[in-house]
Amino acid sequence: LKCQGLAGRAGRCTRWVAPTAAMRIKVHVREKTFSVSCGDGGQRISWLANVGIVRYDDKTKGMELGAPKGVRLEDGTRLNMDEVVCARLPDGSDVWVMLKEDVGPATETDIR
């Protein structure tokens, strides 16, 4: 079984489901889009951002772009980098990796 939803500060699973085919998330980095296979989606959103950066910058494995500064949805909603992929995103979702040039000083209310 895999966790389909987390609740509370402790991040306890609220719903367990049978595993299905590997989740795929479309990760946008600048002008490129990468389809990332996430298995059961148990990784954190930060992992998804790092995969996108490494795939974008294949020669230096992300060193040119630097560390991701965040991940957002198409409507601009920023995701918590510590959330689990399958708990926050449905299969086939699109996310955009935010780089240092994309963000100013963040406040706690910016992250949902």
Side-chain angles (χ1 to χ4, degrees):
L1 293 177
K2 74 173 185 173
C3 180
Q4 189 69 32
L6 299 176
R9 288 192 164 285
R12 294 204 168 99
C13 189
T14 58
R15 191 173 99 184
W16 293 93
V17 295
T20 57
M23 274 186 86
R24 294 193 83 75
I25 303 294
K26 289 175 269 193
V27 179
H28 301 261
V29 181
R30 291 185 174 161
E31 76 286 353
K32 294 182 181 178
T33 303
F34 306 96
S35 180
V36 177
S37 177
C38 302
D40 66 1
Q43 306 86 343
R44 301 208 177 275
I45 299 288
S46 58
W47 171 84
L48 203 54
N50 285 317
V51 169
I53 284 180
V54 168
R55 289 193 186 176
Y56 181 90
D57 184 13
D58 191 45
K59 288 189 171 124
T60 65
K61 302 299 181 205
M63 297 303 290
E64 178 185 322
L65 296 179
K69 298 300 181 186
V71 175
R72 68 172 179 82
L73 300 175
E74 187 170 15
D75 68 3
T77 302
R78 289 183 67 175
L79 302 177
N80 182 329
M81 297 285 272
D82 291 325
E83 282 188 286
V84 177
V85 171
C86 68
R88 186 64 169 93
L89 300 169
D91 186 31
S93 293
D94 286 87
V95 297
W96 282 259
V97 175
M98 300 168 68
L99 305 170
K100 61 186 168 223
E101 66 261 22
D102 299 326
V103 296
T107 64
E108 191 64 31
T109 57
D110 288 337
I111 302 170
R112 301 201 197 312

